[in-house]
PDB file of all heavy atoms in Angstrom:
ATOM      1  N   LYS A  28      87.099 -38.766  23.348  1.00 61.00           N
ATOM      2  CA  LYS A  28      87.762 -38.637  22.063  1.00 61.00           C
ATOM      3  C   LYS A  28      89.243 -38.830  22.269  1.00 61.00           C
ATOM      4  O   LYS A  28      89.955 -37.919  22.689  1.00 61.00           O
ATOM      5  CB  LYS A  28      87.523 -37.238  21.430  1.00 61.00           C
ATOM      6  CG  LYS A  28      86.038 -36.855  21.342  1.00 61.00           C
ATOM      7  CD  LYS A  28      85.321 -37.707  20.262  1.00 61.00           C
ATOM      8  CE  LYS A  28      83.876 -37.292  20.096  1.00 61.00           C
ATOM      9  NZ  LYS A  28      83.207 -38.091  19.116  1.00 61.00           N
ATOM     10  N   PHE A  32      95.628 -39.112  20.783  1.00 72.00           N
ATOM     11  CA  PHE A  32      95.887 -38.445  22.000  1.00 72.00           C
ATOM     12  C   PHE A  32      97.102 -39.025  22.754  1.00 72.00           C
ATOM     13  O   PHE A  32      97.641 -38.388  23.589  1.00 72.00           O
ATOM     14  CB  PHE A  32      94.680 -38.569  22.966  1.00 72.00           C
ATOM     15  CG  PHE A  32      93.857 -37.290  23.065  1.00 72.00           C
ATOM     16  CD1 PHE A  32      92.621 -37.226  22.466  1.00 72.00           C
ATOM     17  CD2 PHE A  32      94.367 -36.181  23.669  1.00 72.00           C
ATOM     18  CE1 PHE A  32      91.881 -36.052  22.531  1.00 72.00           C
ATOM     19  CE2 PHE A  32      93.626 -35.007  23.773  1.00 72.00           C
ATOM     20  CZ  PHE A  32      92.386 -34.951  23.193  1.00 72.00           C
ATOM     21  N   MET A  47     100.010 -33.913  18.522  1.00 77.00           N
ATOM     22  CA  MET A  47      99.204 -32.759  18.986  1.00 77.00           C
ATOM     23  C   MET A  47      98.527 -32.039  17.809  1.00 77.00           C
ATOM     24  O   MET A  47      97.439 -31.569  17.876  1.00 77.00           O
ATOM     25  CB  MET A  47     100.066 -31.819  19.808  1.00 77.00           C
ATOM     26  CG  MET A  47      99.299 -30.818  20.581  1.00 77.00           C
ATOM     27  SD  MET A  47     100.395 -29.867  21.730  1.00 77.00           S
ATOM     28  CE  MET A  47     100.744 -31.132  22.935  1.00 77.00           C
ATOM     29  N   LEU A  49      97.462 -33.369  15.223  1.00 73.00           N
ATOM     30  CA  LEU A  49      96.418 -34.188  14.623  1.00 73.00           C
ATOM     31  C   LEU A  49      95.111 -34.116  15.361  1.00 73.00           C
ATOM     32  O   LEU A  49      94.089 -34.629  14.938  1.00 73.00           O
ATOM     33  CB  LEU A  49      96.869 -35.686  14.595  1.00 73.00           C
ATOM     34  CG  LEU A  49      98.041 -36.034  13.660  1.00 73.00           C
ATOM     35  CD1 LEU A  49      98.482 -37.488  13.845  1.00 73.00           C
ATOM     36  CD2 LEU A  49      97.634 -35.770  12.236  1.00 73.00           C
ATOM     37  N   ASN A  50      95.088 -33.478  16.574  1.00 65.00           N
ATOM     38  CA  ASN A  50      93.847 -33.357  17.265  1.00 65.00           C
ATOM     39  C   ASN A  50      93.614 -31.855  17.617  1.00 65.00           C
ATOM     40  O   ASN A  50      94.562 -31.062  17.735  1.00 65.00           O
ATOM     41  CB  ASN A  50      93.836 -34.212  18.499  1.00 65.00           C
ATOM     42  CG  ASN A  50      94.698 -33.730  19.614  1.00 65.00           C
ATOM     43  OD1 ASN A  50      94.329 -32.794  20.353  1.00 65.00           O
ATOM     44  ND2 ASN A  50      95.902 -34.305  19.783  1.00 65.00           N
ATOM     45  N   ARG A  51      92.360 -31.512  17.856  1.00 60.00           N
ATOM     46  CA  ARG A  51      92.026 -30.119  18.056  1.00 60.00           C
ATOM     47  C   ARG A  51      92.112 -29.668  19.517  1.00 60.00           C
ATOM     48  O   ARG A  51      91.878 -28.504  19.824  1.00 60.00           O
ATOM     49  CB  ARG A  51      90.579 -29.880  17.590  1.00 60.00           C
ATOM     50  CG  ARG A  51      89.517 -30.601  18.326  1.00 60.00           C
ATOM     51  CD  ARG A  51      88.126 -30.363  17.838  1.00 60.00           C
ATOM     52  NE  ARG A  51      87.146 -31.078  18.596  1.00 60.00           N
ATOM     53  CZ  ARG A  51      86.537 -30.651  19.643  1.00 60.00           C
ATOM     54  NH1 ARG A  51      86.963 -29.456  20.151  1.00 60.00           N
ATOM     55  NH2 ARG A  51      85.586 -31.330  20.305  1.00 60.00           N
ATOM     56  N   ASN A  52      92.415 -30.575  20.379  1.00 59.00           N
ATOM     57  CA  ASN A  52      92.353 -30.302  21.830  1.00 59.00           C
ATOM     58  C   ASN A  52      93.662 -29.844  22.414  1.00 59.00           C
ATOM     59  O   ASN A  52      93.718 -29.587  23.636  1.00 59.00           O
ATOM     60  CB  ASN A  52      91.754 -31.466  22.604  1.00 59.00           C
ATOM     61  CG  ASN A  52      90.325 -31.755  22.232  1.00 59.00           C
ATOM     62  OD1 ASN A  52      89.470 -30.884  22.371  1.00 59.00           O
ATOM     63  ND2 ASN A  52      90.061 -32.940  21.711  1.00 59.00           N
ATOM     64  N   GLY A  53      94.723 -29.877  21.671  1.00 66.00           N
ATOM     65  CA  GLY A  53      95.982 -29.311  22.120  1.00 66.00           C
ATOM     66  C   GLY A  53      96.653 -30.016  23.217  1.00 66.00           C
ATOM     67  O   GLY A  53      97.327 -29.345  24.051  1.00 66.00           O
ATOM     68  N   SER A  54      96.550 -31.290  23.306  1.00 74.00           N
ATOM     69  CA  SER A  54      97.294 -32.050  24.334  1.00 74.00           C
ATOM     70  C   SER A  54      97.438 -33.525  23.901  1.00 74.00           C
ATOM     71  O   SER A  54      96.717 -34.010  23.056  1.00 74.00           O
ATOM     72  CB  SER A  54      96.584 -31.988  25.684  1.00 74.00           C
ATOM     73  OG  SER A  54      95.308 -32.584  25.588  1.00 74.00           O
ATOM     74  N   VAL A  55      98.439 -34.162  24.501  1.00 79.00           N
ATOM     75  CA  VAL A  55      98.616 -35.607  24.303  1.00 79.00           C
ATOM     76  C   VAL A  55      98.816 -36.252  25.660  1.00 79.00           C
ATOM     77  O   VAL A  55      99.278 -35.632  26.596  1.00 79.00           O
ATOM     78  CB  VAL A  55      99.807 -35.899  23.377  1.00 79.00           C
ATOM     79  CG1 VAL A  55      99.538 -35.445  21.970  1.00 79.00           C
ATOM     80  CG2 VAL A  55     101.089 -35.305  23.899  1.00 79.00           C
ATOM     81  N   GLN A  69     100.028 -27.917  25.012  1.00 73.00           N
ATOM     82  CA  GLN A  69     100.706 -27.007  24.058  1.00 73.00           C
ATOM     83  C   GLN A  69     101.683 -26.067  24.760  1.00 73.00           C
ATOM     84  O   GLN A  69     102.744 -25.783  24.238  1.00 73.00           O
ATOM     85  CB  GLN A  69      99.637 -26.167  23.314  1.00 73.00           C
ATOM     86  CG  GLN A  69      98.931 -26.924  22.231  1.00 73.00           C
ATOM     87  CD  GLN A  69      97.926 -26.033  21.487  1.00 73.00           C
ATOM     88  OE1 GLN A  69      97.555 -24.989  21.981  1.00 73.00           O
ATOM     89  NE2 GLN A  69      97.528 -26.435  20.271  1.00 73.00           N
ATOM     90  N   ARG A 117      91.192 -30.874  32.343  1.00 73.00           N
ATOM     91  CA  ARG A 117      91.079 -32.132  31.610  1.00 73.00           C
ATOM     92  C   ARG A 117      91.296 -33.304  32.573  1.00 73.00           C
ATOM     93  O   ARG A 117      92.045 -33.202  33.531  1.00 73.00           O
ATOM     94  CB  ARG A 117      92.053 -32.206  30.461  1.00 73.00           C
ATOM     95  CG  ARG A 117      93.452 -31.692  30.772  1.00 73.00           C
ATOM     96  CD  ARG A 117      94.423 -31.878  29.649  1.00 73.00           C
ATOM     97  NE  ARG A 117      94.065 -31.154  28.442  1.00 73.00           N
ATOM     98  CZ  ARG A 117      94.218 -29.871  28.267  1.00 73.00           C
ATOM     99  NH1 ARG A 117      94.697 -29.128  29.183  1.00 73.00           N
ATOM    100  NH2 ARG A 117      93.900 -29.291  27.148  1.00 73.00           N
ATOM    101  N   VAL A 130      90.277 -39.171  27.059  1.00 75.00           N
ATOM    102  CA  VAL A 130      90.506 -37.867  27.688  1.00 75.00           C
ATOM    103  C   VAL A 130      89.171 -37.098  27.580  1.00 75.00           C
ATOM    104  O   VAL A 130      88.580 -37.031  26.528  1.00 75.00           O
ATOM    105  CB  VAL A 130      91.632 -37.071  27.022  1.00 75.00           C
ATOM    106  CG1 VAL A 130      91.698 -35.668  27.573  1.00 75.00           C
ATOM    107  CG2 VAL A 130      92.961 -37.792  27.200  1.00 75.00           C
ATOM    108  N   LEU A 132      87.697 -33.207  28.278  1.00 74.00           N
ATOM    109  CA  LEU A 132      88.065 -31.796  28.581  1.00 74.00           C
ATOM    110  C   LEU A 132      86.881 -31.098  29.165  1.00 74.00           C
ATOM    111  O   LEU A 132      85.691 -31.407  28.945  1.00 74.00           O
ATOM    112  CB  LEU A 132      88.502 -31.104  27.299  1.00 74.00           C
ATOM    113  CG  LEU A 132      89.782 -31.679  26.668  1.00 74.00           C
ATOM    114  CD1 LEU A 132      89.462 -32.149  25.276  1.00 74.00           C
ATOM    115  CD2 LEU A 132      90.898 -30.708  26.715  1.00 74.00           C
ATOM    116  N   GLU A 134      85.559 -28.174  28.558  1.00 71.00           N
ATOM    117  CA  GLU A 134      84.600 -27.569  27.576  1.00 71.00           C
ATOM    118  C   GLU A 134      83.792 -28.675  26.851  1.00 71.00           C
ATOM    119  O   GLU A 134      82.675 -28.405  26.454  1.00 71.00           O
ATOM    120  CB  GLU A 134      85.340 -26.726  26.561  1.00 71.00           C
ATOM    121  CG  GLU A 134      86.541 -27.437  25.858  1.00 71.00           C
ATOM    122  CD  GLU A 134      87.827 -27.190  26.524  1.00 71.00           C
ATOM    123  OE1 GLU A 134      87.886 -27.053  27.794  1.00 71.00           O
ATOM    124  OE2 GLU A 134      88.837 -27.042  25.842  1.00 71.00           O
ATOM    125  N   THR A 135      84.380 -29.860  26.708  1.00 73.00           N
ATOM    126  CA  THR A 135      83.605 -30.957  26.141  1.00 73.00           C
ATOM    127  C   THR A 135      82.449 -31.325  26.973  1.00 73.00           C
ATOM    128  O   THR A 135      81.333 -31.582  26.487  1.00 73.00           O
ATOM    129  CB  THR A 135      84.525 -32.209  25.904  1.00 73.00           C
ATOM    130  OG1 THR A 135      85.688 -31.773  25.201  1.00 73.00           O
ATOM    131  CG2 THR A 135      83.838 -33.250  25.095  1.00 73.00           C
TER     132      THR A 135
END
Side-chain angles (χ1 to χ4, degrees):
K28 305 289 184 182
F32 257 108
M47 195 172 287
L49 293 175
N50 73 79
R51 65 182 180 85
N52 294 303
S54 61
V55 291
Q69 282 182 342
R117 42 175 62 76
V130 174
L132 298 120
E134 53 267 35
T135 308

